[in-house]
Amino acid sequence: QSALTQPASVSGSPGQSITISCTGTSSDVGSYSLVSWYQQRPGKAPKLMISEVTKRPSGVSDRFSGSKSGNTASLTISGLQAEDEAYYYCSSYAGGDTDVVFGGGTKLTVL
Amino acid sequence: QLQLQESGPGLVKPSETLSLTCTISGGSISSSGHYWGWVRQPPGKGLEWIGNVYYSGSTRYNPSFKSRVSISVDTSKNQFSLNVNSVTAADTAAYFCARRSGSGWYWDNWGQGTLVTVSS
């Protein structure tokens, strides 16, 4: 069981927007603006897409955006493209003994 | 351009020790403000943080590994290493080494990953 809860799958058509949620607790997501998002294609390493809730690294499309409300963080992808099809994982600083927690991952299917 | 590369045996016997090394190129393991860590992913499952090390040797581990894990750094070789003791089939996974931002707690550079299978 993962520390952060994500939907197992989401889907959308090209050009549409989708949002992936990441629900934690008041001890992790709710307490820190230290949520990051990763894209992982089959057989590849994860790639950082969003850091510190809303920051987009250089080279990442501005179609990707992040937000947070209470204990839930969200990743929104606008103008869906076929190349966006992948697994997406959220992560948060958790303090205490377990510094880093991940979500279980969400499979994005572009229809 | 920073690159990380994992190396080590792809097959480990149950009860033995899994040992992996991550070699850094295009940057220094001694760069201030960055931590170096390991994340694993069992086949078909999600990501799990194992632990990380600072160039000074300071470490943090995921408590779920119950002292089976150790991470060390060799600044002279620009490498850091992972040891997991008393492995079982549950330790079969792709193991990734990665660089973590100190203050932002995000992983911005990853190795390609290496699959380690625990089997007799």
Side-chain angles (χ1 to χ4, degrees):
Chain A
Q1 185 176 359
S2 301
L4 305 178
T5 301
Q6 299 181 233
S9 64
V10 298
S11 63
S13 300
Q16 289 185 332
S17 295
I18 63 95
T19 297
I20 299 172
S21 62
C22 170
T23 301
T25 69
S26 58
S27 298
D28 39 62
V29 175
S31 288
Y32 309 99
S33 293
L34 296 172
V35 175
S36 51
W37 289 90
Y38 305 86
Q39 176 191 69
Q40 186 180 34
R41 295 193 172 100
K44 300 295 186 181
K47 174 188 175 183
L48 178 67
M49 304 303 284
I50 296 288
S51 66
E52 297 173 90
V53 180
T54 62
K55 298 180 180 179
R56 200 170 44 248
S58 174
V60 173
S61 171
D62 60 4
R63 297 185 297 105
F64 291 82
S65 62
S67 62
K68 190 187 82 162
S69 178
N71 296 339
T72 299
S74 299
L75 173 71
T76 298
I77 308 174
S78 59
L80 267 181
Q81 299 180 0
E83 66 193 44
D84 299 331
E85 188 162 289
Y87 280 87
Y88 291 85
Y89 293 90
C90 62
S91 177
S92 176
Y93 174 66
D97 292 333
T98 305
D99 289 347
V100 177
V101 289
F102 284 97
T106 298
K107 182 178 182 180
L108 169 62
T109 300
V110 180
L111 303 170
Chain B
Q1 179 183 353
L2 185 72
Q3 291 188 323
L4 289 73
Q5 178 67 59
E6 305 88 352
S7 60
L11 181 64
V12 180
K13 290 182 168 57
S15 80
E16 295 190 345
T17 296
L18 179 162
S19 297
L20 296 173
T21 295
C22 183
T23 301
I24 300 160
S25 58
S28 172
I29 197 169
S30 302
S31 63
S32 178
H34 289 106
Y35 291 74
W36 306 91
W38 293 92
V39 175
R40 75 179 186 180
Q41 184 172 38
K45 296 188 178 180
L47 303 170
E48 180 178 31
W49 172 65
I50 300 173
N52 43 248
V53 64
Y54 196 56
Y55 74 90
S56 63
S58 173
T59 55
R60 292 281 292 177
Y61 300 121
N62 185 332
S64 68
F65 286 89
K66 297 179 181 177
S67 302
R68 292 196 302 131
V69 167
S70 65
I71 299 175
S72 60
V73 61
D74 186 335
T75 56
S76 67
K77 294 182 179 179
N78 224 26
Q79 294 177 335
F80 61 104
S81 298
L82 169 71
N83 281 336
V84 183
N85 303 321
S86 304
V87 297
T88 68
D91 293 308
T92 294
Y95 285 77
F96 297 95
C97 61
R99 185 181 76 169
R100 200 206 84 202
S101 161
S103 58
W105 288 87
Y106 54 86
W107 306 87
D108 59 0
N109 278 276
W110 296 69
Q112 65 184 23
T114 186
L115 177 63
V116 178
T117 301
V118 178
S119 175
S120 56

